[in-house]
Each structure stands twice: as structure tokens, then as C-alpha cells.
Amino acid sequence: MKTYRVIKLTSMWSTSSLTRQVEQSLNKWTRDGCEIVTVSFGVNMWWLPSAYITICKTIN
């Protein structure tokens, strides 16, 4: 069985700090055995840089 999770990360300061935060999070989830399904960047309703990440983990 697979479970999916959507995570939203936001940075108030800059897109470069958000990019670093996303990269660190992706590396951690990959080490934990998660599959990265999608990563997309955009802005939220307050025009703050945001990242939306979908991860999947297989549960036995």
C-alpha cells in the first residue's frame, strides 16, 4: 500500500533560501525511503515564495 503526502514550504526571505530548504528536505525524505513524486514552486496568496512537494511511501 502506498501513502501520499503533500507538503508546503514557504520562505519569507528569498527564493534561494527556499531552494536550499527544499533541497535539504528532499535529501532527508529520500534517505528515509520516501519517493519524491512532484516538486513545484510558486507563490502563496501573500506573494511569498512557496514550494509544494508530493512524497510517497510504501507501507507493507
Side-chain angles (χ1 to χ4, degrees):
M1 169 189 266
K2 288 187 175 189
T3 59
Y4 291 86
R5 186 171 156 207
V6 177
I7 297 112
K8 177 180 141 188
L9 301 175
T10 303
S11 174
M12 295 180 70
W13 304 113
S14 70
T15 55
S16 61
S17 66
L18 177 62
T19 303
R20 280 191 305 274
Q21 182 182 1
V22 167
E23 184 178 1
Q24 291 169 354
S25 298
L26 292 174
N27 288 331
K28 178 190 174 295
W29 291 320
T30 303
R31 280 192 307 272
D32 292 343
C34 294
E35 174 187 346
I36 308 304
V37 179
T38 61
V39 178
S40 62
F41 290 89
V43 293
N44 65 13
M45 59 190 259
W46 294 288
W47 293 96
L48 297 174
S50 301
Y52 303 90
I53 304 164
T54 305
I55 61 174
C56 173
K57 187 154 188 170
T58 302
I59 299 175
N60 296 328

